[in-house]
Amino acid sequence: MAEDLYIPNDASKREKYESLLPQLKGLIEDEPDQIANMANIAAALKEVFNFFWVGFYRVVGESLVLGPFQGPIACTRISYGRGVCGTTWKEKKTLIVPDVDQFPGHIACSSLSKSEIVVPVMQDGVVKAVLDVDSDKLDCFDETDAFFMEKLVSLLNF
Ligand code: SME
């Protein structure tokens, strides 16, 4: 496919995700390098939705290690069970945090981040990475974001 995204400007959030999904599938399915694929997923979510921060942390040994991302610099390593990302790794399920100040142990990479969603990237029941998306607005993420972000990360093949 061409390296341009085509997303209708006046589309709803669901319509934007529905348009984005097959385009990213086309970009990712023949590319075996998962770093490249994570980079394009992060870039696409940033481009289409202009979230404050979009990125991946990969499971490397006992830590999550910062991977491809779009946005300001961020913390490099997160331990198992720590913060929203480490909790998602531990619980193996998507976490939606409407107000990061209300999440015990939230790791504030930026004081501008107000709400957050973290989606596990699973392979054979094992968490290989997490997708972390931050917004500078409170209560930015809902089940539609969770549904489509889970679909997007299922395109990855570790
Ligand atoms: N807030 C995350 C840390 C990563 S940054 O948001 C990029 C957490 O609590 O795990």
Side-chain angles (χ1 to χ4, degrees):
M1 66 165 269
E3 281 77 21
D4 283 314
L5 291 173
Y6 295 100
I7 309 289
N9 273 334
D10 55 352
S12 67
K13 178 166 78 172
R14 171 173 288 276
E15 289 167 339
K16 287 181 179 175
Y17 278 117
E18 283 171 343
S19 174
L20 181 59
L21 190 57
Q23 294 182 69
L24 274 176
K25 186 168 188 287
L27 193 59
I28 285 174
E29 62 188 357
D30 293 328
E31 174 49 65
D33 190 305
Q34 301 311 309
I35 299 284
N37 290 334
M38 287 189 281
N40 267 331
I41 291 174
L45 286 170
K46 179 75 173 166
E47 182 180 334
V48 174
F49 297 104
N50 197 28
F51 295 127
F52 176 70
W53 195 91
V54 184
F56 288 86
Y57 284 89
R58 292 176 305 129
V59 173
V60 182
E62 303 300 307
S63 301
L64 290 168
V65 179
L66 185 63
F69 72 96
Q70 298 267 321
I73 60 167
C75 47
T76 313
R77 286 177 184 265
I78 297 172
S79 300
Y80 184 77
R82 299 289 306 279
V84 187
C85 293
T87 304
T88 299
W89 180 12
K90 186 175 179 182
E91 296 188 358
K92 298 184 175 183
K93 63 171 196 204
T94 298
L95 289 181
I96 295 172
V97 181
D99 178 353
V100 295
D101 289 338
Q102 303 303 316
F103 188 94
H106 169 258
I107 300 165
C109 292
S110 167
S111 61
L112 295 176
S113 176
K114 301 290 184 219
S115 59
E116 181 165 357
I117 182 171
V118 183
V119 179
V121 182
M122 310 277 292
Q123 199 86 55
D124 301 325
V126 176
V127 177
K128 298 290 186 176
V130 300
L131 168 64
D132 179 15
V133 184
D134 291 12
S135 172
D136 55 6
K137 299 173 192 66
L138 285 167
D139 200 14
C140 180
F141 304 103
D142 59 19
E143 290 304 324
T144 300
D145 299 288
F147 178 81
F148 283 102
M149 288 183 191
E150 286 170 8
K151 292 246 183 244
L152 285 174
V153 302
S154 75
L155 299 172
L156 294 165
N157 188 15
F158 282 89

